[in-house]
Amino acid sequence: MEARLKSTSGPEVTGAVQQLFKVVYGAGVDPLLLELVHLRASQINSCAPCVYGGVHSAKKHGETDERLHSVVTWRETPFFTEPERAALALTEAATRIEDGQPGVTDEIWAAAAGHFDEKQLSAIVLHIALTGFFNRINRAIREQAGKTW
C-alpha cells in the first residue's frame, strides 16, 4: 500500500500546527505523559504511522519497552502512575466518540482534574484533539508507518 498524497499541508498549516504544539508542550505536562496520550489515541484510531512515530518519540523521552508494550492494556498492568491512568482514561473517553458512547463523564473529568491544573488539562485535551487530527489525515491518505518526527 502506498500513500495517496506526499503532503497534506503547506507552510501556513505547518506553522499553525507548530504553534499549537508549543502551547501543548508549554503547559507544564510531563512530555512523556503527552507521548502516552498520543500513543493511546493513535492505537484506538488504528493510525499506524502515529503509533510508530509515537513509540519512537516516547523512547527518545526515556520510555521503557515494558510500558510501551502495555499502553494498550494500561488498566490491567501495574506500570502506570495514577496521573498517567487519569490521562489515559481521559484520552480513551475523548477519542471514542462514536454513537452511543458516554464520552468524558464527570467521573473521568474529576479524576483527571485531581492530578492536573486547568492549563495542563487544556493541553491534554488539545493534544488528544491534535492526535485525532493527524490520525484522520493519515488514515485518509494511507500514510505508511516508518517515518518519525
Side-chain angles (χ1 to χ4, degrees), residues 119-133:
K119 185 176 180 181
Q120 292 170 321
L121 280 169
S122 293
I124 292 168
V125 169
L126 180 57
H127 198 52
I128 294 165
L130 281 170
T131 298
F133 171 79

Side-chain angles (χ1 to χ4, degrees), residues 55-63 148-149:
V55 167
H56 179 79
S57 186
K59 283 185 167 192
K60 284 177 32 179
H61 282 94
E63 191 52 88
T148 59
W149 48 84

